[in-house]
Every structure is written in C-alpha cells, then in structure tokens.
Amino acid sequence: MNNTAFRAILAAAMGLGTLSLALALQVPPETPRIQSAAAIAAIAAPYVEADAAIVYDVRDRKILFQKNATAQMPLASITKVMTVMVASEVLDPNEIITIPEEALWRDGESGLVAGASWRVRDLVDLVLIISSNDGAEALKLVSEERVASRYARAPKGGAFIWRMNERARELGLEHTYFLDVTGLDKSPSMASSYGTAFDLAKMIAAAGLEHETWFSGTAKDGLLIVPEDTTSITAENTNEALDSISGLIAGKTGYTDLAQGNLAIVFDADLAHPIAVVVLHSSKAGRFSDVETLVSFVRNASHQ
C-alpha cells in the first residue's frame, strides 16, 4: 500500500464506527486484529530497561502500554524530528541549498563541506538517518529568514527555534520544548530539549503520517546520498532495530550523556493501523531491544 492510500484509509478510519471501519478496510474475518486497550491491559506487561516508555495506538488514540510516560526527560537527537518538520514548512524537498560555514561549527562530523550544494531532501536524509548535527544546523540557518517572514510573531534571530516550540503546541505536546535544533546537551546538567514519551509518540506519528516525503528515509539503511557537487555518502541508519520492525513508517534515535538511549518509531501494525513506540533514558543498546520488545508486545496482542 502506498503512503497516499495509507493516509486516506487512516483518515477515513478515524471517523468511522466499528462496522464501517471493517468494511472500509475490507479486512477478511481471519485477519488478526489488534486487541482493544482493555484486552491488551490484561496481557502481562513487558519489561523494558528504559526509565520512560509508551505504546500509543495512533488510529484509536489509546495508550496500550506506558511507563512514566508523562515524565519530562531530555530528548537528545529525537529533537531533529521537529527540526525537519519546521524546515519542511519553508523549504522544497527538491530545492538546492548551500551549506553555510557556520553550520560546521557544531559538534559531530558528517561529511559536510562549507559552500557545497545539497538537495534539501538529501540533507534531510543525512540529518535523520545518521543524525547529522551540522546538517540540522544548516537546515536552520537556510530556513531562518523564511520562517521569520512567514510568521509575523516570530522573534528576529530566533524564528526557527520559536517555530519549533509553536509547532509543538499545535500538536498538543504540552510538556515539550526546544532550545536547539540538534538535541545536544547544553551543559553537563542541562539538555537542549525536553519532553515526555507521550508527547514524542504524538510527534513521531505526525512526522511519519503527515510528512511522509520527508521521513521515509528513516525506514531505510545504507542509503546512498549524492550531493550536487561533492563525494557521495552512504548513510548507515543509527536505528539498529530497523530490520526487526516490519511496517516501519518513521523513526529517530537519540543519545547524549544526559538523555542516555532514546528511540521513537511509528509502524503499521495492521492495515492502516499505525502504532507509535517511544523509549527514553534506556542504555545505548537497550533502547533497541526495548523497542523490539514493545513491537512484539503489540504483534502478540493481535493473536490473543
């Protein structure tokens, strides 16, 4: 099923009753269905290493599993999901932009060269797939004036970050805020972005379902990125759970000293039935096994 059809079915499904929904999706009676939230609650809760986690049924708007899901925690590079969402408002994916020298001042080397020409879609893939910090900064720098022009209330010199926080409010992310586009820690005791597992579940769902053109690369690995005038880069996805999640729509990793291991994904658990899974403050490797555990939890629930 292509993304357009997926979105059309999902939009229709969220406004239909049970009988109409079954007819709309044309699901054979023998096809396993995800159990109701109450039925899933009766299944033994899975163990996850993460300090906070959630499994959120996006279509039915129900929490299927949670652990400290409303605790505000550092986001690390999951921040870049919002960075790309804001950039998508003012940039065309096929537009060619020039990498500003100031972008390279950020920590983390990802192969960018000052003055190089990049197609926006390719730079976004670099930012999301290998979590490029200088790429995220480049998106902000080339978008700053356009965001300021589009939103009269935006402060000069800080329009892009302002819009990230405004977009969070629009999505109902009540406990999420951003001070930076990368998610890097500001200091040993202060992160540059904070939010809850529940907020991030809604954010990754919006990213994957409403901005599929921009986030489709996060479901791929070994993607060959070819800038306009520099050597190509093979982007190895930072999501090590990639191959074990069938139906993956979008995902983003995060790791800093303060945040520890974070991972947010949205996947199609059934026909047009997106589920968001988020784990925060796990270990570097544990975030992947945690998400795999929670995905299996959802899959097993459909067979109970």
Side-chain angles (χ1 to χ4, degrees), residues 51-278:
D51 287 342
I54 193 169
V55 177
Y56 180 61
D57 187 325
V58 180
R59 190 192 70 185
D60 296 342
R61 301 176 187 175
K62 293 180 178 178
I63 296 174
L64 306 181
F65 168 84
Q66 63 175 322
K67 176 184 179 182
N68 299 324
T70 58
Q72 195 177 51
M73 308 184 79
L75 304 186
S77 285
I78 295 179
T79 296
K80 296 183 177 81
V81 171
M82 184 60 77
T83 301
V84 171
M85 289 176 72
V86 170
S88 74
E89 295 181 345
V90 295
L91 298 176
D92 184 279
N94 292 312
E95 180 180 353
I96 305 300
I97 61 173
T98 300
I99 303 300
E101 183 177 357
E102 307 95 288
L104 306 185
W105 299 346
R106 301 308 302 258
D107 291 339
E109 171 61 42
S110 60
L112 293 182
V113 177
S117 298
W118 278 72
R119 189 173 66 151
V120 169
R121 184 195 304 273
D122 295 329
L123 184 60
V124 164
D125 282 340
L126 194 74
V127 169
L128 294 174
I129 295 173
I130 71 169
S131 209
S132 168
N133 293 321
D134 41 11
E137 186 69 16
L139 287 176
K140 184 194 82 170
L141 291 172
V142 300
S143 302
E144 179 71 26
E145 290 187 7
R146 300 189 199 187
V147 173
S149 297
R150 180 166 181 168
Y151 299 100
R153 295 183 295 117
K156 291 185 177 181
F160 195 96
I161 299 296
W162 170 87
R163 180 56 188 158
M164 289 175 69
N165 289 292
E166 282 291 295
R167 188 71 185 107
R169 300 291 81 77
E170 292 170 3
L171 289 172
L173 313 186
E174 298 179 0
H175 304 288
T176 295
Y177 69 89
F178 305 96
L179 300 175
D180 186 71
V181 296
T182 66
L184 291 170
D185 293 336
K186 285 285 189 181
S187 73
S189 61
M190 180 180 178
S192 64
S193 58
Y194 288 86
T196 68
F198 186 33
D199 280 358
L200 294 193
K202 292 184 284 186
M203 184 174 77
I204 195 66
L209 299 174
E210 298 176 18
H211 304 275
E212 66 270 15
T213 298
W214 298 83
F215 287 87
S216 60
T218 63
K220 304 172 184 177
D221 195 14
L223 194 63
L224 184 65
I225 299 174
V226 184
E228 293 298 303
D229 54 7
T230 58
T231 305
S232 61
I233 299 173
T234 300
E236 299 293 338
N237 202 312
T238 55
N239 181 4
E240 295 179 12
L242 186 71
D243 294 337
S244 63
I245 305 173
S246 60
L248 183 64
I249 298 169
K252 185 69 192 77
T253 60
Y255 187 90
T256 66
D257 289 342
L258 288 178
Q260 292 298 293
N262 293 350
L263 180 57
I265 70 162
V266 59
F267 72 103
D268 189 11
D270 208 336
L271 292 178
H273 201 150
I275 302 291
V277 177
V278 178

Side-chain angles (χ1 to χ4, degrees), residues 6-21:
F6 180 91
R7 293 180 65 199
I9 291 176
L10 176 61
M14 292 180 72
L16 295 175
T18 303
L19 179 58
S20 297
L21 175 58

